[in-house]
Amino acid sequence: MGSIALRSLDYWLIRYRRTWRGSAASTVLTPVLFLAAMGVGLGSLVDRSGSAGNLGGVSYLAFLAPGVLAATAMQTAAGEATYPVLTGTRWVRTYHAMIATPLSAAEVFTGHLVWMVVRVAMTCLAFVAAMAAFGTLHSAWAPLALPAAILTGLAHLTPVAAFSARLRNDAGLAALFRFGIMPMFLFSGAFFPVSQLPALLRAVAYGTPVWHGVALCRGFTLGQGLTVGSALLHAGYLTGWSAVGFVLARRSYQRALVR
Amino acid sequence: MPVPEAPDGGAPPYISARGLTKRFGDFVAVAGIDFDVARGEAFGFLGPNGAGKSSTMRMIGCVSPVTGGTLRVLGLDPVTDGARIRARLGVVPQEDTLDLELSVAENLYIYGRYFGLPRRVIRERTAELLEFVQLAERANDLVEPLSGGMKRRLTIARSLINEPDVLLLDEPTTGLDPQARHALWDRLFRLKQQGVTLVLTTHYMDEAEQLCDRLVVMDKGAIAAEGSPRQLIDAYSTREVVELRFGEGEQQDVSGKVDGLAERVEVLPDRLLLYVANGDATLAEVHARGLAPSSALVRRSTLEDVFLRLTGRTLVD
Ligand SMILES: Nc1ncnc2c1ncn2[C@@H]1O[C@H](COP(=O)(O)OP(=O)(O)OP(=O)(O)O)[C@@H](O)[C@H]1O
Ligand SMILES: [Mg+2]
């Protein structure tokens, strides 16, 4: 079944080829702009105010970059698992074309998921490259931040796809971004330690998969704050979200496509 | 794959349904229908909007689970062998599912990939198929600006990429102009000659008469009659029909005065239909009785008349 699911990859690739220039440019430029403005610009203020103690003794740029890497993985995943999924179920109905062939609804999802992971990986790779250019990879463990970020993306891809496949229109997506993705982007430890949050919000932040992604990526690039045990715990939590989302998404696709 | 021989030695049906039912919640879309489609046959579902044609086609296409009864397609059970069946079907859905942002050739390419066909095979077939549906010059154009008829032809070309044994066509020519419809009929007829089994739905009686060896008339989820177009017309209508139109408000006054002129009279809002063996003779009698219709027409019976007889309603309203 694995290889049958991959039959739809050519479709996603051909679609991407039509728009890749614009998309690739923003994939490469966004992290550079972000790290320059937030990390270097804002960072110089933060560092001068003597906050390094709260940040674990590193520069704001070094603190911020891996956090935003994980948050960007989440955001990219949310983008890939929303509008393109509705394109398949409702707008272009490409999924419906697929299930008239030997592909099953579950295989349609699996094939698209593989493509989504490829897209998330491309974005994360560009981000890690920018981080290297800004000199924010401070540890020999730093390369592991890339798979950690991709896993963070996966933990959002599958549940968001499960949600999107059930929607009739994109009204639900606006709500998802406004009340889900956006707050998580801002408050899950990418920009400041969640220890700064009130206790209740802190508890919520610990429950979000992206906080675990941030902790993992930051631990790897800074080479501090992670033990083998805590790293496995974070990775396990993200894997759990990915797996539960995977099962739910396959069900959603079945319900949306086979009626 | 060879089809297993039936016990009596005759070829077993390619598609066979018994008590086939489709429910959406409490709503019954297909209410326990029976039919068989033989290999190489052109079989039609004729019926008005909401009759259950598409629901039936989607069950045959193994993209919609059967809610009751049994269905066998190519001798296989859609529940357990959906993918194997779909590998041998070509599907033209009621609504196109082309990707408008890709080119004509790319649409065929990706569809061929879903069937696991090698790139080289797809390229060869693409050239042939685009020739067949007269879109060869548009191969590298985007689908978006193509006319409705061209998109429909592309969907048909796409459905043939896997060289299917059975072609399922859900209203293949709806929305096309007469010329485009005739061109499509010609293509479908050639496929049938090549041995492809055709299953199609339509609410055009002329399409059913042109293309179908055998058809069922569906209404409200049930089959109202079955046979060849000729058999149905013979069984449910007369040889000829006289259509009479009258001026504003005159029709009520007239309807009593045609008694005994015809085997059967249908009173439609805008005209009277007299079902007779000899139309010209009846028209002469109409005039002899002093009736003065504003227009009169003698024509042969069609499936439209069969449908009116069976359901009391017209097909295309
Ligand atoms: N997914 C669905 N959910 C609920 N009801 C449905 C669904 N699909 C079809 N129906 C209902 O089933 C009935 C039969 O629909 P179907 O599409 O099979 O008719 P049809 O004969 O193809 O009509 P048309 O000529 O308009 O295409 C309709 O009343 C329709 O509203
Ligand atoms: Mg229909």
Side-chain angles (χ1 to χ4, degrees):
Chain A
M1 106 126 234
S3 71
I4 291 186
L6 297 184
R7 287 178 183 176
S8 61
L9 272 189
D10 274 7
Y11 170 67
W12 300 112
L13 198 63
I14 285 181
R15 259 189 92 88
Y16 180 68
R17 272 212 315 242
R18 294 218 158 257
T19 54
W20 77 273
R21 264 172 253 270
S23 146
S26 78
T27 301
V28 171
L29 269 173
T30 308
V32 174
L33 293 178
F34 219 99
L35 293 179
M38 301 291 288
V40 181
L42 182 64
S44 65
L45 284 178
V46 175
D47 294 338
R48 247 180 284 158
S49 73
S51 302
N54 287 332
L55 302 178
V58 301
S59 74
Y60 186 61
L61 178 62
F63 172 85
L64 172 88
V68 177
L69 167 64
T72 297
M74 169 189 73
Q75 201 179 36
T76 307
E80 291 294 321
T82 45
Y83 293 93
V85 169
L86 265 96
T87 301
T89 55
R90 306 262 164 194
W91 297 330
V92 185
R93 294 165 46 81
T94 32
Y95 288 163
H96 294 271
M98 291 176 187
I99 61 159
T101 76
L103 299 179
S104 68
E107 286 159 349
V108 167
F109 169 65
T110 307
H112 196 176
L113 179 65
V114 170
W115 174 249
M116 294 179 202
V117 171
V118 169
R119 291 286 300 127
V120 169
M122 285 161 68
T123 306
C124 293
L125 188 64
F127 204 104
V128 170
M131 286 171 70
F134 278 82
T136 62
L137 305 180
H138 292 287
S139 145
W141 295 101
L144 285 180
L146 180 61
I150 296 170
L151 179 61
T152 308
L154 185 63
H156 292 87
L157 283 174
T158 57
V160 173
F163 171 77
S164 300
R166 288 179 183 251
L167 297 180
R168 290 182 176 281
N169 55 52
D170 59 0
L173 296 188
L176 173 75
F177 281 102
R178 202 165 301 146
F179 303 114
I181 304 302
M182 189 66 171
M184 286 200 282
F185 191 85
L186 293 175
F187 294 103
S188 289
F191 295 90
F192 56 88
V194 293
S195 56
Q196 305 288 313
L197 289 172
L200 183 66
L201 285 182
R202 205 184 315 144
V204 173
Y206 289 149
T208 64
V210 67
W211 179 80
H212 295 268
V214 168
L216 211 48
C217 289
R218 189 170 285 147
F220 285 137
T221 63
L222 296 181
Q224 62 184 52
L226 272 187
T227 63
V228 172
S230 68
L232 286 178
L233 217 60
H234 291 312
Y237 191 71
L238 293 171
T239 306
W241 273 79
S242 307
V244 171
F246 186 76
V247 172
L248 293 179
R250 285 166 67 103
R251 255 188 239 162
S252 288
Y253 271 58
Q254 184 74 18
R255 277 187 52 161
L257 301 181
V258 180
R259 274 173 298 157
Chain B
M1 196 194 81
V3 179
E5 284 293 308
D8 63 0
Y14 241 31
I15 305 172
S16 168
R18 291 293 173 273
L20 182 63
T21 303
K22 182 73 199 182
R23 276 186 295 271
F24 296 104
D26 290 337
F27 181 79
V28 181
V30 179
I33 61 174
D34 300 346
F35 61 86
D36 289 312
V37 181
R39 178 178 191 166
E41 194 175 23
F43 185 86
F45 292 92
L46 180 70
N49 292 139
K53 305 182 297 294
S54 296
S55 303
T56 304
M57 292 292 263
R58 287 168 41 78
M59 287 191 282
I60 301 172
C62 306
V63 293
S64 171
V66 171
T67 25
T70 58
L71 177 65
R72 291 291 176 276
V73 183
L74 298 161
L76 302 170
D77 183 349
V79 176
T80 51
D81 284 309
R84 269 176 76 198
I85 296 170
R86 291 195 301 271
R88 296 171 60 197
L89 299 182
V91 179
V92 175
Q94 184 166 354
E95 287 169 51
D96 283 328
T97 54
L98 299 166
D99 192 323
L100 306 181
E101 292 169 34
L102 300 189
S103 74
V104 167
E106 282 171 336
N107 265 280
L108 293 184
Y109 174 75
I110 54 156
Y111 207 71
R113 295 297 293 157
Y114 301 155
F115 285 94
L117 299 174
R119 282 151 227 262
R120 184 184 46 77
V121 171
I122 298 176
R123 260 200 304 279
E124 284 166 13
R125 290 188 190 169
T126 295
E128 287 165 25
L129 288 172
L130 290 183
E131 206 61 58
F132 179 66
V133 297
Q134 295 174 298
L135 283 174
E137 290 87 64
R138 308 301 296 262
N140 296 314
D141 294 354
L142 290 188
V143 174
E144 172 102 65
L146 298 187
S147 74
M150 289 173 169
K151 285 180 186 140
R152 214 58 187 144
R153 266 149 45 200
L154 176 57
T155 298
I156 291 178
R158 188 181 73 166
S159 72
L160 296 169
I161 196 87
N162 60 326
E163 299 188 332
D165 295 324
V166 179
L167 197 53
L168 303 178
L169 303 132
D170 198 349
E171 300 195 14
T173 66
T174 296
L176 303 194
D177 65 33
Q179 205 187 339
R181 294 177 70 204
H182 283 277
L184 252 181
W185 289 349
D186 172 59
R187 295 294 175 286
L188 295 176
F189 188 73
R190 278 161 56 186
L191 287 172
K192 181 167 145 39
Q193 283 180 317
Q194 291 164 20
V196 178
T197 304
L198 303 181
V199 180
L200 62 112
T201 78
T202 181
H203 38 217
Y204 298 119
M205 61 210 171
D206 52 345
E207 182 158 288
E209 283 171 8
Q210 283 281 333
L211 290 175
C212 299
D213 300 321
R214 216 153 51 80
L215 55 97
V216 292
V217 179
M218 271 191 97
D219 188 36
K220 299 186 178 126
I223 289 178
E226 178 189 339
S228 69
R230 196 68 258 154
Q231 286 170 338
L232 286 170
I233 291 167
D234 289 348
Y236 296 98
S237 194
T238 52
R239 212 169 71 87
E240 294 190 332
V241 186
V242 181
E243 292 201 13
L244 303 176
R245 285 171 201 267
F246 289 91
E248 200 70 34
E250 286 173 42
Q251 186 165 303
Q252 277 90 341
D253 315 337
V254 181
S255 40
K257 300 185 189 158
V258 296
D259 288 350
L261 280 184
E263 256 181 58
R264 197 163 58 85
V265 178
E266 288 283 354
V267 184
L268 301 183
D270 61 334
R271 65 208 139 115
L272 291 185
L273 303 180
L274 310 185
Y275 288 91
V276 296
N278 183 336
D280 289 326
T282 306
L283 191 55
E285 274 190 71
V286 167
H287 290 297
R289 287 193 182 187
L291 298 175
S294 61
S295 77
L297 164 77
V298 175
R299 60 168 176 82
R300 299 186 70 92
S301 272
T302 67
L303 288 171
E304 179 84 46
D305 300 296
V306 171
F307 188 80
L308 190 61
R309 168 74 185 278
L310 288 168
T311 69
R313 287 179 292 120
T314 49
L315 256 175
V316 185
D317 33 31

